[in-house]
Amino acid sequence: MRALVIGAGAVGTKVAQQLLSSNAVDKILLRDISPEKLGVASKTLGSRVEVEHFPFSQNMDADVVVVASPRGTQLEAVKKAISLRRPTVVVSDGLSETVSILNLEKEAFELGVPVVVGTGFAPGLSCVLTAYGKTLLEQTEEIHVSKMGTGGPACALVHHRALSRMSFGWREDKWDKRLGGSGRELLWFPEPVGPQDCYHAALSDPVLLHNAFPEVSRISAKMAATRRDRFTAFFPMLTPPHDEGGIGAIRVELRGSKNGVQENIVLGVSEHPALAAASVTALTSEYLLKQKINLNHMSTLALIVEPSEFLSELTKRSIVVEIFEGDKTTV
Amino acid sequence: MDKLRRALAAIMTAAAVAGALSFQKEPGVEKRTGGWKKISNFGNN
């Protein structure tokens, strides 16, 4: 089995590492247009990884294609993978590009190509947490996702832009547009992240979650940001982003009912975003290679994996899922 | 005079400590901690 990992950034390199350690593949091709990134990656990865200094969407000779390249390059890579009938896993981050990738659904269906869209921290793990939370309720009326932190520089850039663009949330049968950086809400993430001010942002979670759960009447996504983040979002990034951000978190809140009683389920994960995204992406790729996912079209994680099993597997990879059980008063 | 000043300082310190303790015990003033719990078994929640 061969896997092609497109993008040797913070997520792509970790995906390659995890695929190697799982023994799901015999060989990995790690491709990037940056020789510096490939140089760093080749030092940390073993001989079973072949690095390629190639354009992102060329020669995809592999059993699975993992698209973990920066925003703006993913759509072309997915188009090419579909045309070559390669099973594809797309980490997916930016809102507009995710929508464009979802628009390739017809091509994927006609050619019978399995394509999994959104396999990062959020979207990705957030979608699986939502699917798991839904199993704890009889009826789900609202889904609210929030995230804090970024992975590598490409992820940091997407987050920077997301605060200055319109956010899309699903509200009573229509898309509800809100200005990025508005709608402050103080939300509690699992420790050590704790409470953070979160704001509307151009995130792709609501699009993927509405695609998976069209019956849910309200879906929103917010992002933790500081006053400086919100102010500078309207300008180009003045300082280059960090190689990899610190610890981040996601939080998924589901509102609905069980046994006729209104109930809220709050699930969360605190982890380094790039590491969590890589774990979700690598596990999805393994599921595709081992044919644990029976897919011949484009779909999202929330619809194709059994959430309990998937989260149990992630727990084995040291991703800790937590549930909020309410305040405990200590006097 | 010095003994009187020391006695007064001790009384004021005691009063401040007593006040702080009574404030902590006042109903409605509670210390709250987050109630996040790790999920270890996804089948039994």
Side-chain angles (χ1 to χ4, degrees):
Chain A
M1 292 278 189
R2 275 159 66 99
L4 169 63
V5 180
I6 298 177
V11 176
T13 312
K14 289 181 178 65
V15 171
Q17 278 171 341
Q18 295 210 15
L19 281 174
L20 280 180
S21 60
S22 71
N23 287 323
V25 293
D26 307 310
K27 191 161 195 174
I28 293 176
L29 302 169
L30 184 62
R31 178 179 297 174
D32 205 291
I33 50 170
S34 158
E36 291 84 20
K37 281 185 187 174
L38 289 171
V40 173
S42 64
K43 280 179 194 162
T44 55
L45 300 166
S47 58
R48 280 159 65 202
V49 176
E50 197 176 292
V51 293
E52 284 185 336
H53 184 216
F54 247 47
F56 288 125
S57 49
Q58 269 194 15
N59 301 345
M60 295 179 170
D61 183 18
D63 298 292
V64 66
V65 175
V66 177
V67 182
S69 53
R71 177 192 62 85
T73 60
Q74 296 185 352
L75 179 64
E76 278 307 308
V78 176
K79 268 185 190 170
K80 184 76 178 176
I82 291 174
S83 68
L84 294 171
R85 301 184 184 209
R86 304 279 183 247
T88 310
V89 177
V90 196
V91 175
S92 183
D93 202 355
L95 172 61
S96 56
E97 194 162 43
T98 304
V99 172
S100 304
I101 291 170
L102 286 173
N103 286 336
L104 299 173
E105 193 175 7
K106 195 178 164 203
E107 284 92 323
F109 179 76
E110 283 172 356
L111 293 171
V113 184
V115 182
V116 187
V117 184
T119 60
F121 197 30
L125 185 53
S126 59
C127 299
V128 185
L129 288 181
T130 304
Y132 176 69
K134 274 190 105 253
T135 64
L136 306 179
L137 294 169
E138 279 169 4
Q139 195 183 357
T140 307
E141 288 152 16
E142 299 183 28
I143 301 168
H144 303 287
V145 177
S146 43
K147 67 194 283 192
M148 185 264 166
T150 58
C155 180
L157 189 60
V158 170
H159 278 231
H160 174 79
R161 292 164 56 95
L163 280 167
S164 63
R165 281 158 171 75
M166 297 303 284
S167 81
F168 284 77
W170 186 253
R171 195 179 169 98
E172 319 298 354
D173 298 327
K174 62 174 192 248
W175 287 107
D176 179 35
K177 287 201 282 184
R178 300 287 177 100
L179 186 65
S182 66
R184 181 164 70 97
E185 191 176 1
L186 182 63
L187 295 169
W188 257 259
F189 292 88
E191 295 298 331
V193 173
Q196 298 286 330
D197 277 330
C198 295
Y199 302 86
H200 292 298
L203 303 172
S204 51
D205 298 69
V207 175
L208 293 173
L209 288 170
H210 175 64
N211 189 285
F213 310 114
E215 75 285 0
V216 176
S217 58
R218 287 187 184 194
I219 304 174
S220 75
K222 287 187 175 179
M223 193 172 96
T226 61
R227 195 172 291 170
R228 193 185 64 180
D229 292 336
R230 290 163 60 217
F231 177 70
T232 57
F234 294 91
F235 305 108
M237 258 187 161
L238 298 175
T239 50
H242 43 66
D243 286 342
E244 194 181 331
I247 198 150
I250 54 168
R251 178 187 185 277
V252 176
E253 181 172 352
L254 295 101
R255 299 176 190 164
S257 58
K258 189 177 182 181
N259 300 325
V261 180
Q262 281 287 321
E263 200 160 331
N264 281 13
I265 302 285
V266 184
L267 298 161
V269 172
S270 276
E271 187 50 85
H272 288 86
L275 179 66
S279 300
V280 174
T281 306
L283 188 57
T284 310
S285 308
E286 285 167 43
Y287 272 35
L288 273 178
L289 288 167
K290 292 174 183 169
Q291 296 186 330
K292 276 190 173 182
I293 299 172
N294 190 16
L295 189 68
N296 57 3
H297 57 280
M298 184 179 282
S299 192
T300 63
L301 269 184
L303 287 177
I304 56 171
V305 296
E306 206 289 299
S308 302
E309 188 197 334
F310 196 86
L311 292 174
S312 296
E313 284 294 322
L314 282 179
T315 305
K316 289 176 194 165
R317 296 173 188 223
S318 70
I319 304 293
V320 178
V321 180
E322 298 182 59
I323 186 164
F324 189 75
E325 292 200 324
D327 281 355
K328 290 195 171 60
T329 305
T330 56
V331 182
Chain B
M1 196 65 185
D2 194 41
K3 279 184 181 174
L4 188 65
R5 197 179 291 141
R6 279 186 191 172
L8 195 62
I11 289 166
M12 285 175 73
T13 309
V17 170
L21 288 174
S22 66
F23 178 74
Q24 266 196 344
K25 284 177 185 168
E26 237 176 79
V29 181
E30 298 161 340
K31 188 181 175 189
R32 288 173 179 272
T33 57
W36 286 99
K37 182 193 156 200
K38 287 174 186 171
I39 305 177
S40 50
N41 186 351
F42 290 92
N44 294 323
N45 280 289

